[in-house]
Structures are given as C-alpha cells and as structure tokens.
Amino acid sequence: MTSRIPRDSRLRLVRPRPLAAAPRAVNQRRSRRPAPRPPEGTPAPAELARMARSGLAGAARVARWADAALGPGRAGATADGKATLSASTAERAAAELGLTAAEVRADWDTARLAGLIEVHGDSARPGWRLRAWDRDDSAVLRGWVALFDAWSLACPEPAEHEAAAVAEVVSAMPQVLSFLQLSAGPVPVEQLLDLLQQRVTELRTARCEVPYDPQLQPAGPPAPGAAEPAEPAEADDAPLAPLLDWALGALASVGALTYGDGQATLTPLGSWAVWVKLEQICVAAQSPAGNIEQAAEDMLRGCAQLRPNAARAEYRAWLAARPVGSAVTELLAAARGEDALLRGLAFEALRVVGAPAEPDVRAVLDEPALRPYALLWLAEHDGVDPEDAHEVLTREEATWLWVDTAAAVADHGEAPMLVRHLEAAVQPTVPALLDEVRAVGHPRTVQVLVALAAAHPDPALAKAVRRAAFQVHTGGS
C-alpha cells in the first residue's frame, strides 16, 4: 500500500500532540470562493464596528465595572449564585456608574447576551470580546451578532400569550427580517403582519394542524355521553399583532431596526447581519452538502466527511436558518444519541454558536455522556487555548472521552486512525490505558477494544487488548 498523509480527523476530540498538523498543502491547492460583497450602501466593517460599539457602550461599561467589582475574590453578583444581579449589587453599580438600577440590569443582560461578560457561580469575569473591544473590530461585530441572534431574550415575551404562539413568531421572524432587508427601506407594519400570518400558517400546515371544519364531522346527533363538538376557532382567537409588536420592539432594543409611526426599517447593522445570514444560507444551498433543511442529526451526518472549515460553513448556514434556542436544543439532543461521532460534531457546531449556547452547555454537565465535551467547550469559551483545554478534565473524564472518540473512529474511520488514536490517550503506557479503560465503564468499551485489537499490527499488544476486551465482557478483572 502507498503511504498516506495523516488526515486531520474531526473524530479526535482530545487533541493529540503528534498529529496536530493538518494537510495544509491540500487545503492551499483548493480554489477558494471569492468573498461575497455586501449590498451597495453597506458601511465598511470599521464603520459597522463603530456603530456596534456605540450601541453597546452601556453594556461594555457595566461589564468593565463587573470585571473590577465582581471578579474572583470579591463580593458576588448574587447571594444564591443564579447569575442575576441581586438588588444590592444593582444599587451599588447604579450609584457608582450614575445610572438607575433598572438601567444597570438592562445593560448587564445585554452584556451577557453579547458575550462581554460571563457569570460563573457567584462571580463575574470578562468575556474575551471585552478584552479585545477597543482594538478588534471583528470581535465587536461578533458580539453584536450574538446579541442579534438572541433578540427574543432581550425583552420579556408577552405573558398573556401561549408559549407555542411565541415560538411560532420567533421561528417566522427570519422571513420577516429577510423581507425588510430586501426592501431596503421603511415597510408598513400591516405588510409585515400579513407576511408573518402567512409564515405562521405555513408552519402550522407543516405540522398538519387541521382546523375544525363542521362539514367534516359525522352527521347525526352525538352518541350518548360523547363530548359536544368544539366551536370553530376564529382566526382572531390568537392575534399575531401584539406578538409582532413585541418582536419588532425587541429587535429595536438590540439595535437591529427602528420601529415607530406604523413602520419598521432595518438599521445598517441589522441589514448587514441579515445579509450575512442570507449569504451563509445561499452558500450552503449551493454546496454539495446543502444541509440547511435537515434536522440536526442528519445535518451532522452530512458534515462528517467535510473538512473542518467546510463543516463550520455548513454549521453557520444551518444555524442562520433557525432560532438559536431551538438550534442549540436540537444539537444537544443529537449529542445524546448513540453515535459518538455525532456527539463530537454537535459540540463543534455549538462552538460556532458561541455565547448564546453557554447556559444550555453548562446545564448538561451532570450528564456523564456529555460532561467531557461540555467541559472542553466551556474551557475554550472561557479563553483557554484549545490545545490546553484537555487539562480541565479529570483522568477518568479524559479516559471516558478517549473511549467515546475511539468508538467514533471504529464506526466511521479507518483502522490506521484507530491505531494512531492511542497517541491521544493520557496514560503513558498501553497497560495503564487498558486498566483505566476497563474501570471507566463506557458502554462501548468492548467494541472499541475488539476493533483496536483487530487493527493493531503488534501481535503481542493486540493479544493484550483482546484479553482486556474479554475481561470487560465477562466482568472479570
């Protein structure tokens, strides 16, 4: 057989030292798609960043105050560690910054959504974007886009409406924003309401929600004891106008549009952000993968054979086509499945999501199957170098992750890749690795060891691995 250059596998999640180099020559030979140009009249990136800094000035100010006042070793943000400002802390910040407590709370929430500040327990630490705020325009724009993606969290949703109706409006708003972007000017709210109603109807039709129709009911009186047929639902039983008003108000609060006098207009920042997301969707739709219409699990399977940069482009397009909250939920559901490869790819997609995914990722730390992945994600999100992130794992967690990653290699990779995967283990020797693998209790341990024994060229080592697999299978020591 001819030798091959080792591929930079997406199956390896505990990043090994010897195989860190990717085949850069192959990537460099590929022709790159020219960078798309934004619509005429779009401000330059430096001007967009200036607008974002201006809009987020209050949030950055509160974030810097929290960095100085609430960091490790100082008084906590809350007494109960729930990551919300206590009344005393809000009053203290208001007094020191010359603001009202309500203004401090609003800026605090904005700073968290934009990734300017991160709360861990009862302490606050600056996000990496705050450190680069004055010198890195791209960091500023990514922070503003994170806030834009989380617009539905910026303002409380109307309490009198059902959660299902709110979710429908959130799911339909990308189409409304796309229409605003294509219109390139003020659009009457009545026109937006008509578009929203059409999109919500499409969503309900896709779920096969058939409205009540008296003509489809059986003739004759109801049987004794049967319930009376429900009254036909009126179209105005759940009016969308108040929810559209809430959505436009929330988008205006994050600086994506202006809203008043019966019309809405995208700001330059909002128009640019919508264009970026539309461009991501178009690129994915034209790509060989084209996974934007797929569910998370199918999308991840479609990305499994892509190189890292191409996979990240698919993730960005898939995320741009759906609300960030439901996208994160769907990715974590895929990560809980039996396929270890999808588990790793789901967390790669969550890295593209960034700050809005942090609460959901932190919430899965108690799930053994997801904990190592979540710990690595959080470490990298906190600014730890990806090459050093594995140091946050305990020996047992690192071993569990090694087995899980090996299962992905065994299911989807080539035999030499499984042999090379030995180099990613934290144990210094194979006997030590086998001892700890037997003890870690991963459900795929036997299959991984059998596959490794079949793939390894050293007969003595392969025999030891087979013996370990048999011991795990029979429950021996």
Side-chain angles (χ1 to χ4, degrees), residues 4-68:
R4 292 184 177 182
I5 299 174
R7 288 185 289 179
D8 184 18
S9 170
R10 290 151 311 279
L11 301 172
R12 189 183 300 108
L13 298 174
V14 179
R15 291 170 172 79
R17 276 66 67 190
L19 297 178
R24 295 186 181 90
V26 176
N27 289 337
Q28 290 171 355
R29 286 196 297 267
R30 293 186 175 187
S31 59
R32 293 188 177 183
R33 180 178 182 268
R37 299 178 65 86
E40 186 177 354
T42 302
E47 177 62 15
L48 290 170
R50 187 196 64 78
M51 296 175 183
R53 283 190 182 94
S54 176
L56 294 172
R61 185 184 181 192
V62 168
R64 289 191 176 98
W65 176 87
D67 181 23

Side-chain angles (χ1 to χ4, degrees), residues 354-374:
E358 182 186 358
D360 296 275
V361 173
R362 197 171 295 281
V364 304
L365 287 175
D366 293 333
E367 301 182 32
L370 302 186
R371 179 176 173 81
Y373 296 92

Side-chain angles (χ1 to χ4, degrees), residues 350-431:
L350 289 169
R351 286 177 173 85
V352 176
V353 177
E358 182 186 358
D360 296 275
V361 173
R362 197 171 295 281
V364 304
L365 287 175
D366 293 333
E367 301 182 32
L370 302 186
R371 179 176 173 81
Y373 296 92
L375 287 171
L376 291 177
W377 190 99
L378 290 167
E380 293 180 27
H381 180 65
D382 289 345
V384 177
D385 190 297
E387 293 294 330
D388 301 326
H390 64 279
E391 295 177 1
V392 306
L393 302 178
T394 65
R395 183 75 164 242
E396 182 178 0
E397 290 163 349
T399 303
W400 194 100
L401 183 57
W402 185 91
V403 178
D404 203 52
T405 309
V409 177
D411 290 342
H412 301 278
E414 302 169 350
M417 292 174 62
L418 190 57
V419 175
R420 292 198 302 270
H421 186 60
L422 282 170
E423 300 173 8
V426 297
Q427 290 78 7
T429 65
V430 171

Side-chain angles (χ1 to χ4, degrees), residues 338-340 403-404 407-408 410-411 441-449:
E338 296 182 358
D339 194 329
V403 178
D404 203 52
D411 290 342
H442 192 288
R444 295 291 304 279
T445 299
V446 173
Q447 293 93 325
V448 164
L449 293 178

Side-chain angles (χ1 to χ4, degrees), residues 304-332:
Q305 302 304 318
L306 299 178
R307 287 185 174 273
N309 287 341
R312 281 190 289 271
E314 290 287 322
Y315 301 150
R316 282 192 292 269
W318 186 85
L319 291 164
R322 47 193 42 80
V324 65
S326 61
V328 171
T329 299
E330 204 173 334
L331 288 170
L332 288 174

